[in-house]
């Protein structure tokens, strides 16, 4: 089983969007995917999974809330992939998730208010025993400024970490998709699907590396 975590230092940077995208892409390829939602107060990804199930959207994706990594791993023993969606803040659980994962995705916005805590989180994970080569940043909720995107990528890479090439812009259509139980790559408009699929490909390529 492959284990992938989406972890962030703060909420609202696209962590759950990334987790849902990854789960959907692998499920669409025939993998048995389980998503572990660790935010037991908000349960937003669990509710997203329920909306998806109620709407009969295929592929089906099983989502369940968990309080510990050990229980999530136990519950996903029959799955091909476990996608762990962390809380809207970093804590010991975040380190447990990262250590149990083959790959760790760190979504971040472009502002220094997002980048600095995200890089600090990466440093903390490496200090906790996670290999830096298994971490990758994903630029999420971006605008259309190539200069700002390039600056954010330079900041991350200057700190010694990998930043995936495809940025994920902020669009109303993605929120509408999530409200319907869909992932970003299932958005109504083709242009939105294309952008989300580019992010998905970058993530899948990263996960597939040794």
């Amino acid at each position: 089983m492959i284990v992938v975590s989406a972890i962030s230092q703060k909420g609202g940077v696209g962590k759950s969007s990334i987790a849902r995208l990854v789960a959907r892409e692998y499920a669409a390829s025939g993998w048995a995917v389980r998503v572990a939602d660790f935010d037991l107060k908000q349960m937003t990804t669990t509710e997203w999974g329920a909306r998806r199930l109620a709407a009969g959207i295929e592929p089906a994706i099983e989502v369940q809330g968990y309080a510990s990594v050990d229980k999530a791993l136990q519950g996903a023993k029959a799955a091909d992939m476990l996608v762990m969606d962390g809380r809207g803040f970093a804590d010991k659980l975040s380190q447990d998730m990262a250590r149990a994962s083959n790959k760790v995705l760190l979504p971040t916005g472009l502002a220094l208010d997002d980048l600095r805590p995200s890089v600090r989180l990466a440093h903390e994970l490496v200090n906790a025993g996670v290999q830096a080569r298994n971490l990758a940043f994903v630029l999420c909720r971006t605008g259309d400024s190539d200069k700002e995107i390039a600056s954010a990528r330079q900041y991350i890479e200057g700190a010694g970490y990998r930043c995936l090439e495809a940025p994920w812009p902020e669009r109303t259509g993605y929120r509408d998709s999530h409200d319907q139980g869909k992932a970003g790559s299932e958005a109504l408009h083709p242009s939105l699907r294309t952008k989300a699929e580019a992010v998905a490909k970058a993530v899948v390529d990263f996960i597939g590396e040794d």
Side-chain angles (χ1 to χ4, degrees):
M1 179 176 64
I2 294 178
V3 182
V4 179
S5 288
I7 301 173
S8 64
Q9 181 69 21
K10 57 189 293 188
V13 293
K15 172 184 54 58
S16 294
S17 297
I18 289 293
R20 298 167 190 179
L21 181 68
V22 172
R24 188 269 171 188
E25 292 308 297
Y26 279 90
S29 296
W31 291 47
V33 180
R34 167 74 68 92
V35 179
D37 184 355
F38 285 102
D39 194 339
L40 298 180
K41 291 185 177 180
Q42 301 295 330
M43 300 291 283
T44 53
T45 294
T46 302
E47 293 174 358
W48 170 84
R51 293 194 298 273
R52 187 179 184 89
L53 179 63
I57 300 172
E58 296 290 340
I61 300 171
E62 187 174 357
V63 184
Q64 187 169 337
Y66 289 97
S68 74
V69 172
D70 286 344
K71 289 184 178 180
L73 293 171
Q74 182 69 24
K77 287 178 66 175
D80 300 315
M81 171 175 280
L82 173 63
V83 180
M84 297 195 286
D85 184 7
R87 300 167 180 163
F89 55 90
D91 57 5
K92 183 181 180 301
L93 176 64
S94 304
Q95 296 182 10
D96 292 342
M97 291 170 59
R99 283 193 292 260
S101 297
N102 300 96
K103 301 291 183 179
V104 178
L105 301 169
L106 300 168
T108 180
L110 303 183
L112 283 177
D113 285 344
D114 292 330
L115 291 168
R116 284 175 174 166
S118 296
V119 166
R120 284 198 298 268
L121 172 59
H123 291 333
E124 291 171 5
L125 296 178
V126 170
N127 289 336
V130 180
Q131 295 187 33
R133 65 183 181 87
N134 292 330
L135 303 175
F137 283 80
V138 186
L139 299 179
C140 293
R141 299 189 172 180
T142 65
D144 297 317
S145 170
D146 291 339
K147 181 178 179 180
E148 188 179 21
I149 291 170
S151 178
R153 180 173 288 113
Q154 183 179 23
Y155 183 90
I156 292 166
E157 293 174 349
Y161 298 104
R162 179 172 182 174
C163 182
L164 300 187
E165 282 298 319
W168 195 346
E170 172 81 357
R171 297 289 188 272
T172 301
Y174 293 129
R175 292 193 294 273
D176 291 341
S177 295
H178 292 152
D179 288 347
Q180 298 168 26
K182 298 178 180 179
S185 55
E186 298 168 317
L188 176 63
H189 297 290
S191 63
L192 297 185
R193 292 198 301 272
T194 297
K195 291 180 184 297
E197 286 165 358
V199 177
K201 182 182 185 305
V203 170
V204 170
D205 289 347
F206 168 65
I207 293 171
E209 294 176 356
D210 293 333

